Every structure is written in structure tokens, then in C-alpha cells.
Amino acid sequence: MVQTNATTDRLTLRRPDDFHLHLRDGAMLQAVLPETARHFGRAIIMPNLVPPVVTAAQAAAYRDRILAALPEGMTFTPLMTLYLTEETDPEDVAAAHASGLATAVKLYPAGATTNSASGVRDFAKVRPVLEKMAEIGMPLCVHGEVTDADIDIFDREAVFIDKVLKPIRKKTPDLRVVMEHVTTQDAVDYVRDTHKNLAATITTHHLIINRNHILAGGIRPHYYCLPVAKREMHRVALVQAAISGDPRFFLGTDSAPHTDANKLLPCGCAGVFSATNTLSCLAEVFETAGKLRELEAFVSLNGARFYGLPPSGETIDLVRGAPVSYPDHIDTGDGPVTVFDPGFPLHWRVEA
Ligand code: DOR
Ligand code: ZN
């Protein structure tokens, strides 16, 4: 379906999907939803609200609020997730999946990130849910970081793979797992070396920044997210995975809005808001790597295939020209939210 003309200044793609997105609620939801729905057809919606979206009933109510916030004339399908707790009822999960309400379950190790306090401490306690999910083919989206204070923050993903994910997958090999927002060569290698029931999402920002962008020459809170960006060799491994066309790697932006007031604090929130300019950023990354032809697989095909969804029947056009300017922030009823700054000019815009 990728069509490029002779000079490759126009790219027609099936309408992309975002397989990891934070939309929040209330005024924030109202402001950020159009930023995604403008370009994306569907998104996996993260359940880490306060309180979290744990039950089928909560997911149904949240889906209604999302659809109610969608501006007139826009189409968008939220794919709901349930937040896994040690009290989650396997039957509630199974019913939510069977009815089409919930697409996946999200595992946050307790304390790993924003609003993860109700997450999992003792993995033995969620075994019945995981077994039920394996039985019905419902995917588990995993925030793959250990939370132990004595594990270096830059090592938490690699340690999670060995200490948590491998044992879970050994005990429940039929469970379909998405390692979300992978940030390391270790995770890329693990996914590549595993031939069944494992895939990974990669964010836009982790394809572009490394840890120097956060810390060298002054601290840049708007680049701080979890998992935190790692050293350059890991970023390069992520780019190689994304451009490879390997169907196990696909886009999940993890676009995670926080107001500037909450980012620019002595202890600021983790999250990068990239919904607004993600496709322009990705086109630039793929073009620089000489792999524009693989962009459609990464943003529009691989994820849908893993989730058993048909690819979109709609298309979007990306057009190359003079650098596009995006706003440096969007206004929300809660205050301004800064848009991800890739640090280089963006030549591809999405044609309306
Ligand atoms: O940076 C992040 N922000 N990582 C997460 O896992 C959660 C997210 C958020 O909800 O803000
Ligand atoms: Zn996230």
C-alpha cells in the first residue's frame, strides 16, 4: 500500500494506529484527544487514571467519556485496557474481552511509574488472571521495569526481562505479551529471539533522544519519561528494530501529557507528549535511515496484525516540503502541555 512518487515527496499510508497512548480525563482528555484523532484511527488507551480503570464497568464508562470528547466530524476508535491489580477478577476480564469492550490488560509493577501504586507487587497473585488471558488469547501490555530501589534506573528494563518477564512467559507460554515502550538493545534482542507470543512497542521519542538529551548541558524535564531514555547504542538498536519491517515491532507513542506546571517541578512528572507531531518525527527518522518504505509497516500494519485487527481501510498522505512548524505547546483547561521537540527540522507533514 505504500505509494511514493519518483521524487519521494508524497507517501500514502494506511491510516496509522497508536498502540500505547495516555489520554487522561476531563479537560486534559478534551484537549489532547484531537491531537491523536487527527491522524490516528485507533489507539490502545492506557488505564492509569486516578483511580485506575480496573473493572469492565470502569472501562465502559471511560470509553464513553473518550467518545463524548471527540470533536464533531472526527473518527477514532479507543481500544480499552484494564489495569491489572492483585484483586482483578479473571471472569470480569474475560467478559470484558468477549464483549469487545477491552482489548488488553495492562501490567504496571507497583511503583514503576505515574499512577502505578495499585499495580502488581506479588506476581503469584495475578497468575489466575494471566492464565485466563492465555486461554482466551487476550494480550498483556507490560510496563517492563523492576522497581527495586537498589537497581539502577538505567538497568531496570534489562533486569525486568530476566527476573520477571522470562519467568512469567515460562509459566504461561501461551500468554500474548507486548513489551511496551522498549528502550534497550536487551529488549530488542529478547523480542527478536522469541518466536511466539511476544511483540514490542517503540515510542517516537525513544527513536530520537538518548540520555544525553535529558542531562547534558542542563536538565531537560520535557525529555524525562519512563522508562528513561538510555545511551546512544540503545537508541540505535531501537531505530534498527523499527525500520527492520519485523512485524513484532510497532508504534506505541506513549504520548503522556502533563502540564508544564507538573513537569517543571523539583520532582517533576515522567512523560513526553508527542501526539501532535509524531508522524512528522517518524517520517524524518525513517527517511534519515533510508527506510521510508518501512514506515507503513511500523505505524499501520504490524500492530494491527499482532492485535488481530484488520488494517485500516482509510489512508493518509505524508507530504515532503519546507520544514513544518508545530506549536511548542498545546493549551488545555489544566494549563499548557509542551509538545515533544525532536531537535531537528521536520520536512514531512500530514496532508489534511
Ligand atoms: O513517562 C511515562 N509517563 N511513563 C509511563 O509509564 C507513564 C506515563 C504517564 O502516565 O505519564
Ligand atoms: Zn505509558
Side-chain angles (χ1 to χ4, degrees), residues 90-98 102 105 129-139 174-176:
E91 294 311 321
D92 185 59
V93 168
H97 186 248
V105 169
V129 184
L130 301 186
E131 274 160 16
K132 175 55 83 177
M133 291 169 63
E135 182 192 319
I136 63 178
M138 185 180 196
D174 292 335
L175 182 64
R176 311 192 70 232

Side-chain angles (χ1 to χ4, degrees), residues 20 22 46 106 108 181 254:
H20 182 133
H22 298 268
M46 287 299 119
K106 174 70 189 237
Y108 286 107
H181 42 51
D254 198 12

Side-chain angles (χ1 to χ4, degrees), residues 289-340:
K291 292 282 188 174
L292 264 180
R293 284 183 169 274
E294 299 297 343
L295 182 61
E296 186 182 46
F298 184 66
V299 302
S300 313
L301 301 177
N302 295 349
R305 183 192 299 179
F306 184 86
Y307 276 95
L309 301 167
S312 175
E314 298 168 47
T315 60
I316 61 160
D317 276 14
L318 287 163
V319 181
R320 195 183 204 290
V324 204
S325 58
Y326 283 99
D328 60 9
H329 71 272
I330 63 158
D331 290 313
T332 82
D334 293 337
V337 170
T338 292
V339 174
F340 174 60

Side-chain angles (χ1 to χ4, degrees), residues 18 20-25 28-29 32-33 35-36 44-49 62 106 108 113-115 143 181 203-206 221-227 252-260 262-263 268-278 330 332 336-340:
D18 183 349
H20 182 133
L21 177 67
H22 298 268
L23 285 177
R24 316 299 190 204
D25 217 339
M28 185 64 86
L29 166 64
V32 300
L33 178 59
E35 301 299 297
T36 288
I44 288 273
I45 310 300
M46 287 299 119
N48 62 333
L49 305 182
Y62 186 32
K106 174 70 189 237
Y108 286 107
T113 187
T114 310
N115 304 335
H143 183 111
H181 42 51
T203 76
T204 305
H205 51 283
H206 287 118
H222 293 300
Y223 288 150
Y224 172 63
C225 66
L226 289 169
T253 65
D254 198 12
S255 181
H258 293 278
T259 61
D260 287 353
N262 285 332
K263 290 289 290 176
C269 293
V272 168
F273 176 68
S274 64
T276 307
N277 59 1
T278 272
I330 63 158
T332 82
V337 170
T338 292
V339 174
F340 174 60

